[in-house]
Amino acid sequence: MKKILLPLLLVSCVSCAIQTVQTDTNYWRNRTFDEVWEASIEAVNEIEFTIDSLDREAGFIGAESGRYVFGGDAPPRLSIMIREFDNSVSVDCKVLQKEQLVDLFGIGKKIVREFMTALNRNLSGNRPL
C-alpha cells in the first residue's frame, strides 16, 4: 500500500504545482490613480519588461520579459493591478513563472522587488537619468 501511495502523492503534488507565482502589494496615500499608473508604466520599462497589454479602466498592465530563465519555453510574466480607494491607491504585482515548480533562485521575488523599488523611486521623484 505504501509503495502505491507515495508515487500517487508525488504525482498529485507535481500536477498542482505547474507554475510559480510571486506577489506583493503596496499602498500609497494621497496619490492619484493617474500618478501611480504613469509611474508603473515607467517602472515596467526600467526593469526591461515589454508591456503587451494595457487596460486603464480596469487598472491592468501586463508585461513579459525578453529573458528566458534557464532555457524554459516561457519567460517570466508580470501582471500589475492598480486600484483606487478613498484616499489611497494600491498596486498588486504578480510574477508568473511558467514551467518552474519552485522559484529556486528567487528570480520571481527579485523581479517583484525590482518593480516595486522602481515604482517607489518614480513616485518619490528620484528617477534615474
Side-chain angles (χ1 to χ4, degrees):
M1 182 68 171
K2 285 184 181 180
K3 290 181 181 180
I4 295 172
L5 193 55
L6 184 59
L8 286 176
L9 182 62
L10 288 174
V11 168
S12 65
C13 289
V14 169
S15 65
C16 292
I18 57 172
Q19 49 194 282
T20 299
V21 178
Q22 299 295 333
T23 185
D24 191 15
T25 303
N26 279 351
Y27 297 87
W28 287 270
R29 291 203 170 280
N30 301 319
R31 290 287 187 177
T32 66
F33 176 89
D34 292 334
E35 290 173 321
V36 175
W37 177 264
E38 294 301 323
S40 295
I41 290 173
E42 289 176 25
V44 169
N45 290 326
E46 285 176 29
I47 65 169
E48 299 178 356
F49 270 65
T50 303
I51 295 173
D52 59 9
S53 59
L54 289 169
D55 186 345
R56 191 178 182 106
E57 270 188 46
F60 176 77
I61 300 170
E64 194 170 88
S65 171
R67 303 170 295 212
Y68 287 81
V69 179
F70 301 114
D73 291 334
R77 178 123 184 93
L78 184 65
S79 296
I80 301 161
M81 286 299 301
I82 304 170
R83 295 182 185 95
E84 190 169 28
F85 299 101
D86 294 329
N87 223 7
S88 65
V89 178
S90 73
V91 175
D92 181 39
C93 174
K94 293 181 183 175
V95 172
L96 171 67
Q97 294 171 259
K98 294 180 183 177
E99 301 172 5
Q100 288 189 11
L101 302 180
V102 179
D103 190 7
L104 292 177
F105 299 102
I107 294 166
K109 289 180 183 178
K110 181 181 176 200
I111 292 168
V112 170
R113 187 174 51 248
E114 286 176 352
F115 170 77
M116 288 298 187
T117 299
L119 179 57
N120 282 321
R121 188 173 47 243
N122 292 339
L123 288 171
S124 69
N126 297 326
R127 294 186 176 123
L129 298 174

